[in-house]
Structure formats: structure tokens, C-alpha cells
Amino acid sequence: AETGAVPAARTGGGVGPGTGRNIGGRVDPAGSGDEAVDYSRPFRPQEVTRRAQVIAKPEPAYTAAARKFHVQGTVSVRAVLNASGEVERVIPITGLPHGLTQVAVEAARKIKFVPAVKDGRNVSQWVTIQYNFNIY
């Protein structure tokens, strides 16, 4: 191999032969803009035209065990607010003991929202939701 050789032509800001911002021959829909957009996948908030709008976020109940042991803190979950208006894929990021993580996941599944929009279409969007548990 010749040193100082010019690599093969590429498009976008990626590394290797990929297009857009991707690596190794794969296509990144958020890259150069000339690839087809997969509207069936969940989008990150910065990728949508209008973010999902939460209209009701039920609060989880404090469990008796958590109250007994004076557990306080925050449970964070990641979820998909889908294009059909349903919550799916609720995944705990940070949790608390004595059932508080589970009640937070259950509360997140009951969120009511208006779906996100991208290019005039309802789409699914990833969100991070936090529930604070404090004993007063």
C-alpha cells in the first residue's frame, strides 16, 4: 500500500465508506438527507418536527414498604411514545428499592400524549421520564 494515498470518495461527515454520518457502508437516515427516512422507528426528540406532547402524567403511589423505610429519590425511565398514542418499551434507567421502580414503570405506561410529528406524519419518539419520591 502506498503511503499518503487518498481514500475512496465518501459523502457526509462519517468515517469509512458509509454515507451521511455513518461508518462502514451503512446508511444513516439523519446523514446527508438523500436517503429514505424510516418512519416506523422511534426518533430522538431532536430528530422530530414537533415533539410528543404529554397531556396527562399520572403520579405513582408511594409503596408501604418504601414509606416504612423512608426511601426517597428519583426513578428515571426511558420509553417510546408511539405514533398510535400508546406507551411502549418502558425501561428503568435509575431505580429505587421497595417497589418504587415498578410503580414508576406502571405510571409511565398510563401517560396520555399527542404523538410526535416528523415531516407531517405521526411518529414514535423516545423520551426520558422522571418520578420524584419524597416523604414530607
Side-chain angles (χ1 to χ4, degrees):
E2 185 179 304
T3 58
V6 177
R10 334 174 228 255
T11 61
V15 177
T19 60
R21 296 176 293 168
N22 220 332
I23 299 173
R26 295 190 204 161
V27 172
D28 177 8
S32 63
D34 57 355
E35 300 90 5
V37 175
D38 178 6
Y39 290 100
S40 66
R41 72 173 177 87
F43 290 88
R44 295 180 311 233
Q46 61 270 28
E47 295 177 301
V48 298
T49 308
R50 188 191 77 217
R51 293 179 180 193
Q53 299 170 342
V54 174
I55 52 179
K57 179 184 168 195
E59 288 299 317
Y62 224 106
T63 64
R67 191 173 300 284
K68 176 182 176 183
F69 292 103
H70 305 285
V71 177
Q72 297 188 92
T74 301
V75 173
S76 295
V77 298
R78 189 163 154 85
V80 173
L81 304 182
N82 77 23
S84 303
E86 297 174 8
V87 179
E88 58 185 40
R89 294 190 225 172
V90 180
I91 304 162
I93 299 170
T94 60
L96 292 172
H98 302 293
L100 293 181
T101 300
Q102 185 56 37
V103 296
V105 167
E106 291 168 8
R109 292 186 192 283
K110 297 176 185 173
I111 289 175
K112 301 295 181 206
F113 63 94
V114 176
V117 174
K118 179 170 180 68
D119 304 329
R121 300 180 188 199
N122 284 359
V123 294
S124 299
Q125 178 192 320
W126 282 105
V127 294
T128 301
I129 304 157
Q130 294 186 330
Y131 292 99
N132 296 312
F133 292 93
N134 297 301
I135 297 175
Y136 296 103

